[in-house]
Amino acid sequence: MASHVVTALKLNLRSAPDSSKNNVVIVLSQGMEVTKVGGSPVPGWIEVTATIVMMTVRGFISDKHIAPIGGVTFPQSPPVTATGDCRSEEHTPELQS
């Protein structure tokens, strides 16, 4: 069962607790849930699993970019509103025969 949520906009899940190597397994998005499965020999890293499209992946992430589930809220984007007259001729597409 998931224990934490990603707080960064994007977070690299790595095969080893080392950000200097080309070891990115997958990129996790903000709000994705992960399960802590262990610590790490490197301070500041934890081992987690994440389920993405019905596939479970295992790797290491920085512990600075996660929070316990229920312990964080994310800002919501403001609603998008249209301006101007969308019905004017310059915005009306012509039908192609």
Side-chain angles (χ1 to χ4, degrees):
M1 182 173 189
S3 59
H4 290 77
V5 63
V6 174
T7 58
L9 289 177
K10 302 287 182 193
L11 181 61
N12 292 328
L13 178 75
R14 297 176 178 273
S15 59
D18 184 351
S19 61
S20 66
K21 297 189 178 191
N22 187 13
N23 60 4
V24 176
V25 175
I26 198 160
V27 178
L28 305 174
S29 298
Q30 186 179 64
M32 290 187 73
E33 296 180 351
V34 298
T35 302
K36 182 178 177 181
V37 294
S40 165
V42 179
W45 292 82
I46 62 170
E47 188 173 10
V48 299
T49 59
T51 302
I52 301 154
V53 191
M54 298 179 9
M55 180 178 75
T56 300
V57 291
R58 188 175 187 141
F60 294 86
I61 58 174
S62 168
D63 64 5
K64 295 177 187 173
H65 304 292
I66 60 167
I69 289 180
V72 66
T73 57
F74 300 105
Q76 294 186 1
S77 301
V80 177
T81 57
T83 59
D85 184 1
C86 295
R87 296 170 293 170
S88 67
E89 289 181 16
E90 55 185 65
H91 296 292
T92 305
E94 293 183 354
L95 295 176
Q96 302 293 318
S97 45

